[in-house]
């Protein structure tokens, strides 16, 4: 049995969580309270010395950090993994793009605007900087999605789940989704994929105490 350590409200944690739900893979969810520093407690650091979530373990040989690496592992041999080497490489390209051009800017802007709104004012200069840095990636993504329904021509895959994690909450970062109509259309299409669950459902009611 796989155990996923995750926190509420996180686009990164959503990725392996949603993939396992859509793959109908049994797993145990343990919620880590990152706002209260549980990820830096010795018991969790013993598991993952980097002290971050998501983190994925099983009883055998899996001990994995990085949400997109988890997607790659979980999707092996499933309909979420593209068939050809070229498509798999393209999926990886978008997964690296997500971690370098989108997540580093959308995630912190959202953190101080939505998760900790009382700190928005204190971080307003950084938020403006992050929103500016997010724009080229979002424009590139919007153009890409104008020509296809999902990230890959072959259909819904881990590339969509990777990008969806933070892009579907861009409004919570202070970005107007109406600026990116193709992304808006794609967000709606992803929410209509088989067995989709929204981020709000990633929480203690579906988890054991960590
Ligand atoms: N690149 C990593 C990012 C992991 C990460 O930074 N997780 C955040 C939550 S989204 C975290 O645990 N933050 C708490 C901390 O840094 O102490 C991934 O994709 O999994």
């Amino acid at each position: 049995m796989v155990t996923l350590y995750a926190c509420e409200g996180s686009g990164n944690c959503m990725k392996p969580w949603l993939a396992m739900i859509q793959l109908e893979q049994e797993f145990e969810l343990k919620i880590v309270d990152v706002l209260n520093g549980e990820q830096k407690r010795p018991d969790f650091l013993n598991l993952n010395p980097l002290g971050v979530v998501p983190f994925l373990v099983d009883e055998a040989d899996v001990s994995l950090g990085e949400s997109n690496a988890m997607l790659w592992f979980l999707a092996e041999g499933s309909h979420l993994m593209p068939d050809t080497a070229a498509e798999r490489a393209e999926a990886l390209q978008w997964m690296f793009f997500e971690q370098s051009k989108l997540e580093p800017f959308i995630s912190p802007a959202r953190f101080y605007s939505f998760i900790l709104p009382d700190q928005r004012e204190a971080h307003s200069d950084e938020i403006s900087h992050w929103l500016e840095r997010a724009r080229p990636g979002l424009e590139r993504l919007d153009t890409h999605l104008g020509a296809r329904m999902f990230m890959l021509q072959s259909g819904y895959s881990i590339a969509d789940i990777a990008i969806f994690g933070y892009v579907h909450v861009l409004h919570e970062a202070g970005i107007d989704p109406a600026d990116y109509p193709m992304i808006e259309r794609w967000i709606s299409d992803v929410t209509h994929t088989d067995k989709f669950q929204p981020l709000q459902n990633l929480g203690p009611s579906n988890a054991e105490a960590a």
Side-chain angles (χ1 to χ4, degrees):
M1 165 84 91
V2 167
T3 301
L4 174 65
Y5 291 83
C7 66
E8 290 179 75
S10 155
N12 284 327
C13 294
M14 182 189 196
K15 300 174 199 173
W17 173 79
L18 178 61
M20 288 193 280
I21 291 171
Q22 294 198 299
L23 290 169
E24 296 187 293
Q25 172 167 345
E26 226 182 299
F27 67 100
E28 187 180 24
L29 176 64
K30 294 201 176 188
I31 295 293
V32 178
D33 183 356
V34 295
L35 294 181
N36 282 308
E38 272 184 18
Q39 76 282 15
K40 307 295 187 211
R41 280 196 332 213
D43 53 342
F44 188 76
L45 288 176
N46 208 23
L47 199 64
N48 176 15
L50 286 179
V52 294
V53 287
F55 201 70
L56 193 78
V57 292
D58 73 4
E59 295 105 358
D61 53 357
V62 176
S63 176
L64 204 52
E66 292 299 331
S67 54
N68 290 348
M70 292 171 207
L71 286 178
W72 196 262
F73 169 72
L74 293 165
E76 177 81 14
S78 80
H79 66 278
L80 292 179
M81 181 63 88
D83 286 337
T84 68
E87 288 162 348
R88 287 194 293 277
E90 199 191 341
L92 267 186
Q93 173 206 280
W94 288 113
M95 292 160 86
F96 287 120
F97 168 84
E98 185 266 343
Q99 286 284 299
S100 60
K101 299 285 189 280
L102 300 174
E103 191 267 1
F105 313 122
I106 299 173
S107 173
R110 173 178 177 258
F111 186 73
Y112 290 116
S113 298
F114 179 76
I115 308 279
L116 299 179
D118 53 327
Q119 294 196 22
R120 187 188 300 141
E121 198 55 44
H123 292 274
S124 61
D125 287 351
E126 288 159 288
I127 292 172
S128 303
H129 167 77
W130 288 321
L131 296 183
E132 197 54 40
R133 296 288 307 273
R135 194 178 303 163
L138 288 168
E139 281 169 5
R140 172 78 187 92
L141 184 61
D142 201 57
T143 302
H144 181 72
L145 289 168
R148 50 191 67 67
M149 184 167 181
F150 292 113
M151 290 306 298
L152 303 186
Q153 204 73 53
S154 51
Y156 183 64
S157 73
I158 49 175
D160 295 285
I161 299 180
I163 303 259
F164 188 84
Y166 277 101
V167 167
H168 88 286
V169 289
L170 49 78
H171 56 290
E172 294 171 354
I175 298 165
D176 185 355
D179 290 348
Y180 304 103
M182 297 302 139
I183 293 177
E184 251 193 320
R185 187 275 307 155
W186 166 82
I187 289 172
S188 167
D189 285 339
V190 172
T191 64
H192 288 91
T193 55
D194 197 27
K195 299 177 190 67
F196 176 85
Q197 289 279 326
L199 179 55
Q200 297 91 295
N201 291 358
L202 199 185
S205 57
N206 300 313
E208 316 242 322

